[in-house]
């Protein structure tokens, strides 16, 4: 039975796939029917503008309706320039008068292309033809101006519209939110409620980001109440959870979650993201386990949040389990999931696995590239980070603010200001320098490179200076050790009326820790409580760290035990490091055992800390038991772990074990070589130290001041005068490394022990830095060894001036009593220990 033309046209409207559409098109052609407009619209729905254009070109004199359909087809496919060119051709060259649909579609193309200049021209034409009162054209104009950032023109068009539907209101509210006018958006929404417009889900979704940014819990509750009143709770539950999380009201977020959750609901992923946003990573992993146990459908948002949580607490074992789940579920093809795996492995110290995963990702986007660049930077591989950035620039992927904020720290890491300036130029050329994240990264890069003139210029160019920008500048001063100027920046921030954020508190606490300013640190602690930041994990961590570095271990322990924040592996690590800083290695080991008893998973930093404790105590058994655990966890070849093992065995006198651990390090950094050099030096193996140093030079490694200090120390212990002089000369003349006071102390000791006092004194006179206790102490020791009374007295006088309360500077013939403050001088008892 032949199919009628009516049936064919109905089939055309009901096509669900491109293949079906092509079949119907063929049958229409055979039947002699030519519904050009319907076919053109059908192909545009499948975003096949090339096929739509073939139909369009087959019509000899297409009218305005066909032009409109073709313009809309281009716009749907994202070919906005082609749409605008066709509109120009129709109206200017063909002389066809546009109708209201022509203008609506053309304005949408201007919005998509962000071509405000062309849009203004079309707006003038609309005004001439009297179409401004049309609700569809007015709405399209409002959207174009909002997306173009011209809120004044958008509001003028909106206010002049005689008729506004819910779409018009939603677009205006959304435009205000997107341009940062959150309070104005709330006012407009109130006006929308007072008008007779029926509010829908989109209206509420548009408003949630504004409420989240304002951060008022009262406003959150008002909006939530409105949602319940209108009966939209289930439809916007994920948005409500996200809103409460951004306003740091996790209890309310959980209440919403438990009211609406089901096995198929997306709110699981939102709730996990909310916990991750607030640093509650343990809860994220708990939710993930619940999802798996109850067969809840796990989406990529949930997986990404779980991987982020595992990365942040350094739980490699959990990360591997999530990776296995991802493979089972066939989610490796999701770029966001693969990118999160790259970040997780790199943050857990498995850079090689991260590199392998990155290499296997086929459709890498800018986020993937940025994640791998950040991974190299996190591991201290600055050159690799910059090399990968260059590789990205050779592809079709264009760097955005995220990519630049990932690579700029690498420039500071290798002190390559020239490359940093080049990337800064790229940011200007691609017009992303003005983005706050990029501008802040540029300020941070210059500041951390010690280039404060361009950093200040970049800072002054910022149209809006927020807390993040002030934090970046202040942290640059903190990094170079200038606490005074860092505090000045924070004071200026206060004078400018900029509200501090949690990052400000962390920065202030780090600056207090730098100068061991307990009083100021305590004041900052009060400010964190006042602003409600004390419960945030990273602020609590900074507080504990500050107290330990101000030698206030009791306060640090009290804060740690209060647990006003979610205790984590990071907090334990900070506490252990605090014990080590204060010379309480036994307490650090005790904390490690307690941490295990409370079922916290140790990470790489934990093992580095415990190995340092073993090294301080020369506790070989502890070190060896830790190494056994490292082998079981698969950490033993990690760079930081390998470096700590080399150091621990060296300080326990097991130089052969140090050498074996050094060989097993897969990715040796400069620290690895320097630690091995120091190991040979402290064990008196000068020839081995010199041999390793020469090997480093032959391999063209970038030697630093620590490398030279280690080899000079080895030469000093072995009395290798000529070798020491050659190394010192090579450092200053060939490597262009300025000698520090420690290098001079080694050379003075080396020359003095050889009886070369003229050379030793001459070197002290040539010093570019003030002689320290170490330098004068070396001269005193050597002059006494060679019975040079004049020099020993001169050195002793200088030492007494520098450290009048140090009893070791005084001999046993009663000179202690000659000192005015002799009663205050107390001899520190010596100690020794054995391991049982």
């Amino acid at each position: 039975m032949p199919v009628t033309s009516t049936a064919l046209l109905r089939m055309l409207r009901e096509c669900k796939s491109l293949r079906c559409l092509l079949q119907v098109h063929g049958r229409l052609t055979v039947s002699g029917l030519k519904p050009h407009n319907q076919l053109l619209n059908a192909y545009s729905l499948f975003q096949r503008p090339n096929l739509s254009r073939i139909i369009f070109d087959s019509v000899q004199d297409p009218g305005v309706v066909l032009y409109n359909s073709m313009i809309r087809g281009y716009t749907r496919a994202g070919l906005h320039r082609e749409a605008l060119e066709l509109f120009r051709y129709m109206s200017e060259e063909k002389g066809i008068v546009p109708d209201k649909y022509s203008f609506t579609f053309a304005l949408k193309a201007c919005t998509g292309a962000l071509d405000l200049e062309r849009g203004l021209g079309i707006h003038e034409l609309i005004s001439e033809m009297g179409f401004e009162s049309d609700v569809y054209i007015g709405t399209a104009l409002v959207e174009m101006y909002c997306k173009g950032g011209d809120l004044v023109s958008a509001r003028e068009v909106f206010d002049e519209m005689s008729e506004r539907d819910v779409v018009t209101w939603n677009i205006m509210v959304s435009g205000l939110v997107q341009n940062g006018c959150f309070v104005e958006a709330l006012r407009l929404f109130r006006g929308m409620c007072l008008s007779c417009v029926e509010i829908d889900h989109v209206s509420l979704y548009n408003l949630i980001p504004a409420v989240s940014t304002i951060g008022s819990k009262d406003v959150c509750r008002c909006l939530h109440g409105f949602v319940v009143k209108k009966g939209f709770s289930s439809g916007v539950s994920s948005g409500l959870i996200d809103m409460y999380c951004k306003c740091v009201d996790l209890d309310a977020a959980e209440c919403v979650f438990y009211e609406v959750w089901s096995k198929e609901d997306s709110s699981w992923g939102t709730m996990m993201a909310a916990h991750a946003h607030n640093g509650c990573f343990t809860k994220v992993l708990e939710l993930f386990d619940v999802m798996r146990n109850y067969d809840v459908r796990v989406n990529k948002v949930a997986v990404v949040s779980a991987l982020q949580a595992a990365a942040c607490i350094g739980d490699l074992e959990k990360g591997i389990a999530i990776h296995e789940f991802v493979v089972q579920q066939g989610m490796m093809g999701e770029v966001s999931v693969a990118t999160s795996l790259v970040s997780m492995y790199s943050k857990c110290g498995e850079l090689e696995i991260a590199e392998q995963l990155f290499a296997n990702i086929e459709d890498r986007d800018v986020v993937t590239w940025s994640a791998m660049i950040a991974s190299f930077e996190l591991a201290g591989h600055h050159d690799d980070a910059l090399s990968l950035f260059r590789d990205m620039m050779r592809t079709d992927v264009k760097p955005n603010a995220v990519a630049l904020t990932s690579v700029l720290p690498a420039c500071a890491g290798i002190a390559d200001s020239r490359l940093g300036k080049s990337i800064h130029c790229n940011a200007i050329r691609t017009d992303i320098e003005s983005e706050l994240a990029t501008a802040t990264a540029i300020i941070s890069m210059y500041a951390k490179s010690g280039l404060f003139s361009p950093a200040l210029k970049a800072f002054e160019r910022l149209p809006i200076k927020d807390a993040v920008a002030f934090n970046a500048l202040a942290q640059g001063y903190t990094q170079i050790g200038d606490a005074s100027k860092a505090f000045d920046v924070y004071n200026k921030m206060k004078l400018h009326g900029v509200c501090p954020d949690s990052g400000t508190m962390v920065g202030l606490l780090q600056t207090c820790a730098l100068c061991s300013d307990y009083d100021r640190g305590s004041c900052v602690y009060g400010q964190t409580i006042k602003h409600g930041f004390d419960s945030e994990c990273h602020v609590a961590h900074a507080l504990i760290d500050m107290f330990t570095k101000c030698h206030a271990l009791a306060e640090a322990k009290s804060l740690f035990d209060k647990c006003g924040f979610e205790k984590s592996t990071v907090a334990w690590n900070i506490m252990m490091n605090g014990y080590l800083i204060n010379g309480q290695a036994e307490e650090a080991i005790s904390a490690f055992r307690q941490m295990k008893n409370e079922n916290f998973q140790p990470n790489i930093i934990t093992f580095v800390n415990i190995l340092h404790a073993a090294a301080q105590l020369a506790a070989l058994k502890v070190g060896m038991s830790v190494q056994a655990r490292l082998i079981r966890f698969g950490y033993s070849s990690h760079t930081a772990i390998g470096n700590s093992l080399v150091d621990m065995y060296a300080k326990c006198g097991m130089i052969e074990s140090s050498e074996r651990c050094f060989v097993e390090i897969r990715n040796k950094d400069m620290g690895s070589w320097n630690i091995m050099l120091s190991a040979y030096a402290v064990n008196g193996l000068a020839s081995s130290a010199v041999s390793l140093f020469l090997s480093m030079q032959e391999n063209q490694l970038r030697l630093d001041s620590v490398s030279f200090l280690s080899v000079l120390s080895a030469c000093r212990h072995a009395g290798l005068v000529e070798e020491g002089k050659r190394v010192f000369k090579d450092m200053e003349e060939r490597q262009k490394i300025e000698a520090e006071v420690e290098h001079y102390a080694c050379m003075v000791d080396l020359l003095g022990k050889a009886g070369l006092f003229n050379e030793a004194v001459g070197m002290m006179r040539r010093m570019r830095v003030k002689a320290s206790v170490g330098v004068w102490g070396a001269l005193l020791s050597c002059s006494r060894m060679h019975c040079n009374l004049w020099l020993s007295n001169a050195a002793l006088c200088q030492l007494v001036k520098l450290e009048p309360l140090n009893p070791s500077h005084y001999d046993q013939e009663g000179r202690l009593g000659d000192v005015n403050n002799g009663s205050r001088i107390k001899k520190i008892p010596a100690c020794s220990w054995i391991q049982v």
Side-chain angles (χ1 to χ4, degrees), residues 12-15 18 21 38-49 52 69 72-74 76-77:
L12 178 62
R13 288 192 300 271
E14 294 174 354
C15 284
L18 180 61
L21 176 57
Q38 292 95 318
L39 279 167
L40 199 152
N41 282 326
Y43 280 119
S44 74
L45 284 171
F46 290 103
Q47 296 194 6
R48 297 301 295 266
S52 296
S69 296
R72 181 168 60 172
Y74 277 134
R76 279 176 173 166

Side-chain angles (χ1 to χ4, degrees), residues 65-327:
V65 174
L66 214 56
Y67 270 103
N68 290 347
S69 296
M70 193 63 237
I71 292 167
R72 181 168 60 172
Y74 277 134
T75 305
R76 279 176 173 166
L79 302 173
H80 307 295
R81 297 292 176 191
E82 288 81 352
L84 290 170
E85 177 57 29
L86 188 61
F87 176 81
R88 185 201 63 78
Y89 178 79
M90 176 190 80
S91 57
E92 294 180 13
E93 295 192 22
K94 299 299 287 185
I96 297 174
V97 179
D99 61 11
K100 64 179 183 179
Y101 300 108
S102 311
F103 287 121
T104 303
F105 301 146
L107 287 170
K108 286 188 178 294
C110 291
T111 303
L114 294 176
D115 192 342
L116 200 57
E117 187 178 350
R118 186 82 66 95
L120 288 167
I122 294 172
H123 190 177
E124 288 177 7
L125 193 57
I126 289 167
S127 300
E128 290 172 10
M129 298 182 67
F131 281 132
E132 272 187 311
S133 59
D134 182 84
V135 66
Y136 297 106
I137 290 177
T139 302
L141 280 168
V142 170
E143 184 178 23
M144 178 191 73
Y145 283 123
C146 284
K147 291 285 175 66
D150 188 355
L151 288 181
V152 175
S153 298
R155 195 60 195 258
E156 285 177 1
V157 173
F158 180 82
D159 290 339
E160 289 171 6
M161 290 175 69
S162 56
E163 180 189 355
R164 308 184 194 104
D165 61 10
V166 66
V167 178
T168 314
W169 283 94
N170 287 346
I171 286 172
M172 191 66 237
V173 170
S174 177
L176 290 168
V177 172
Q178 288 169 6
N179 286 276
C181 302
F182 306 114
V183 176
E184 187 63 28
L186 285 170
R187 287 200 192 102
L188 189 67
F189 180 77
R190 186 170 178 272
M192 182 180 178
C193 294
L194 294 172
S195 70
C196 296
V197 177
E198 188 65 31
I199 289 167
D200 60 10
H201 288 80
V202 177
S203 313
L204 296 166
Y205 265 118
N206 286 338
L207 200 63
I208 284 170
V211 178
S212 301
T213 307
I214 291 170
S216 169
K217 293 181 182 179
D218 291 336
V219 178
C220 284
R221 293 187 183 107
C222 287
L223 183 61
H224 189 180
F226 184 83
V227 168
V228 173
K229 181 181 176 182
K230 290 289 183 180
F232 290 148
S233 296
S234 59
V236 294
S237 58
S238 292
L240 288 172
I241 292 168
D242 184 62
M243 175 186 73
Y244 277 122
C245 126
K246 298 282 175 59
C247 295
V248 200
D249 193 349
L250 280 177
D251 290 337
E254 286 182 334
C255 286
V256 175
F257 171 69
Y258 289 125
E259 282 178 8
V260 301
W261 77 271
S262 68
K263 288 191 176 183
E264 298 297 320
D265 198 79
S266 62
S267 58
W268 286 86
T270 310
M271 194 67 240
M272 289 171 69
H275 282 308
H277 178 79
N278 286 278
C280 302
F281 302 115
T282 306
K283 287 190 176 180
V284 175
L285 297 174
E286 286 173 1
L287 269 179
F288 185 77
D289 288 339
V290 171
M291 290 179 78
R292 292 183 64 185
N293 292 336
Y294 286 89
D295 294 325
V296 178
R297 185 174 60 85
V298 180
N299 60 19
K300 64 181 180 182
V301 175
V303 171
V304 168
S305 297
L307 286 168
Q308 180 191 350
C312 288
I313 64 175
D315 192 341
L316 180 61
E317 192 174 349
K318 192 69 177 179
I320 292 169
I322 298 168
H323 187 179
E324 289 171 353
F325 175 80
V326 165
V327 173

